[in-house]
Amino acid sequence: MKKRPTINDIAQQAGVSKRTVSRVINGATNVNAKTRENIQQIIREQGFSPDKKARGLAVRRSYLLGIIYDNPGTFYIDQVQEGVLQVITEKGYELIVHPCSYQDAGFVDNCTGFVHRSNVDGVIVLPPVSESAALADAFNRHSVNYVRMASVALDEPYRMVISDDRHAVADLARYLVAQGHKDIAVISGPNAYSSTTERLEGFCQALHKQGIPLPDNRIIEGDNTYESGIACGRALLTQDPILDTIFANNDDMAIGVIRAAHDLKINIPQSLSVVGFDDNLMAARMLPSLTTIRRPVRDMAAIAAQKLIAQIENLPADNIATQPVKAQLIVRESTRKKSDFS
């Protein structure tokens, strides 16, 4: 059996030190371009694969990254992982996911404990956990590399990936008014979340600019679950006068609204238009398919991974996206122009 080549073999054949080979393996920029190309060619020819443990020890890294989340839904976390993995795999990093309970009093200690136990080089924090100033403060105290995904700027740009929820829901409001909808209701998310504020304020302000009022009784707080969508949808749909549109803070609640409408024998979209936010797995598959706002979650996660690796490897992050990531209105069967059914 052919002996597996070592870093000593690569260094000897290239006529350089082990330290130089290690720098090339770890992507350091302080190696002459010709020398780097020669070492990389020898590595390919010899089929050399560096031992990750030894590699990590050489640069004091574990080559492990973490994702911290609080039950965002299977489809969402899958999208995040896909976006992160497309960036980190080629750089030799691996991924660990850590669920936590954002509402628990000890969740900050839970998250910092995860970082120390798993020895990750850094973490990507998903909403709503990413909105915690206490967690960010703890990470800073413990010198933890982190990037937060959120709907508002909560930190320095190199630590943030932002989705522009406010402008997306403004586009939605303009679309609904253009379709002839005037009696509109909103099922918001939990008031403590920044994403709820961004979406509710952005939507209400855009309606106001178009002369469409949104009375207090047409706004109801949900908890972003399917069951909450059913309960809130039923509460709105039994009001008098009957409304013509419901915008829910996420797709799970919007799907709950559709179920409530079905139970009340209200036809969608003939008598009621329903809109969600996220474009989750079920949005395009249900009947009627759901009009919603699609956040490019994979792209956001990939940007977060790039920013996190830049922190870990002390690389410049100026060329990594700093502007909010745009969301897109996806029109499907759950909304129609009112005149089509007049």
Side-chain angles (χ1 to χ4, degrees):
M1 181 181 293
K2 184 179 178 181
K3 181 184 176 183
R4 179 179 175 181
T6 67
I7 192 170
N8 289 327
D9 298 327
I10 303 302
Q12 184 176 4
Q13 188 171 340
V16 298
S17 67
K18 285 195 300 181
R19 184 184 296 272
T20 300
V21 176
S22 179
R23 286 173 178 165
V24 171
I25 291 170
N26 290 298
T29 58
N30 59 342
V31 178
N32 177 273
K34 186 175 180 180
T35 301
R36 182 187 302 109
E37 290 171 7
N38 183 43
I39 292 171
Q40 290 171 338
Q41 178 65 30
I42 293 170
I43 287 172
R44 288 191 293 269
E45 291 173 352
Q46 295 295 323
F48 173 69
S49 178
D51 177 78
K52 282 187 177 177
K53 184 176 180 181
R55 179 186 175 198
L57 288 172
V59 291
R60 295 185 180 180
R61 294 184 205 149
S62 65
Y63 286 88
L64 296 173
L65 303 181
I67 292 175
I68 295 177
Y69 69 97
D70 179 0
N71 192 29
T74 303
F75 185 56
Y76 182 85
I77 193 65
D78 283 349
Q79 287 183 301
V80 170
Q81 289 185 79
E82 288 173 9
V84 171
L85 288 170
Q86 76 182 29
V87 170
I88 71 172
T89 301
E90 65 182 28
K91 295 181 178 294
Y93 288 85
E94 296 182 10
L95 189 61
I96 303 173
V97 296
H98 178 70
C100 71
S101 181
Y102 180 50
Q103 301 299 330
D104 285 356
F107 100 93
V108 171
D109 290 338
N110 174 282
C111 293
T112 55
F114 157 70
V115 170
H116 293 140
R117 287 192 310 273
S118 60
N119 195 34
V120 291
D121 293 330
V123 290
I124 295 169
V125 191
L126 307 185
V129 185
S130 60
E131 297 180 7
S132 170
L135 182 60
D137 289 344
F139 283 164
N140 280 311
R141 287 197 308 272
H142 293 280
S143 300
V144 175
N145 297 306
Y146 68 90
V147 174
R148 304 158 80 178
M149 289 173 54
S151 56
V152 290
L154 302 168
D155 214 318
E156 296 297 325
Y158 74 96
R159 293 194 187 278
M160 290 297 311
V161 181
I162 304 167
S163 62
D164 197 348
D165 293 4
R166 186 176 287 259
H167 282 86
V169 295
D171 288 343
L172 168 62
R174 287 188 286 269
Y175 161 75
L176 291 173
V177 173
Q179 299 299 299
H181 299 282
K182 295 181 179 179
D183 197 346
I184 299 170
V186 175
I187 303 176
S188 73
N191 289 333
Y193 295 173
S194 296
S195 58
T196 294
T197 302
E198 288 297 293
R199 295 172 196 177
L200 182 59
E201 287 186 358
F203 189 71
C204 292
Q205 289 170 2
L207 287 180
H208 179 74
K209 287 180 180 178
Q210 297 174 92
I212 304 297
L214 195 61
D216 289 344
N217 70 317
R218 296 304 207 198
I219 302 173
I220 189 168
E221 181 182 352
D223 65 9
N224 285 341
T225 64
Y226 169 72
E227 293 77 14
S228 175
I230 294 175
C232 294
R234 181 177 291 274
L236 289 169
L237 292 171
T238 53
Q239 288 183 6
D240 184 30
I242 296 174
L243 47 82
D244 58 41
T245 305
I246 294 178
F247 164 48
N249 189 67
N250 70 355
D251 289 346
D252 286 345
M253 291 199 297
I255 293 169
V257 170
I258 291 174
R259 174 55 192 263
H262 174 79
D263 292 344
L264 293 168
K265 296 181 170 48
I266 297 172
N267 293 323
I268 297 172
Q270 292 89 338
S271 301
L272 176 71
S273 286
V274 178
V275 185
F277 196 109
D278 283 331
D279 196 24
N280 73 17
L281 186 61
M282 291 303 300
R285 296 184 178 183
M286 63 181 301
L287 290 174
S289 58
L290 182 64
T291 293
T292 186
I293 293 172
R294 176 187 296 161
R295 282 186 299 177
V297 175
R298 288 187 189 87
D299 293 343
M300 292 176 65
I303 294 169
Q306 291 168 0
K307 290 190 174 187
L308 186 57
I309 290 174
Q311 288 181 46
I312 294 165
E313 299 186 353
N314 294 314
L315 300 173
D318 296 342
N319 60 340
I320 303 174
T322 57
Q323 297 301 312
V325 179
K326 292 184 178 180
Q328 178 185 6
L329 175 62
I330 305 296
V331 177
R332 296 196 180 102
E333 297 168 342
S334 67
T335 55
R336 286 291 187 275
K337 194 170 184 177
K338 280 200 68 175
S339 59
D340 291 346
F341 301 103
S342 298

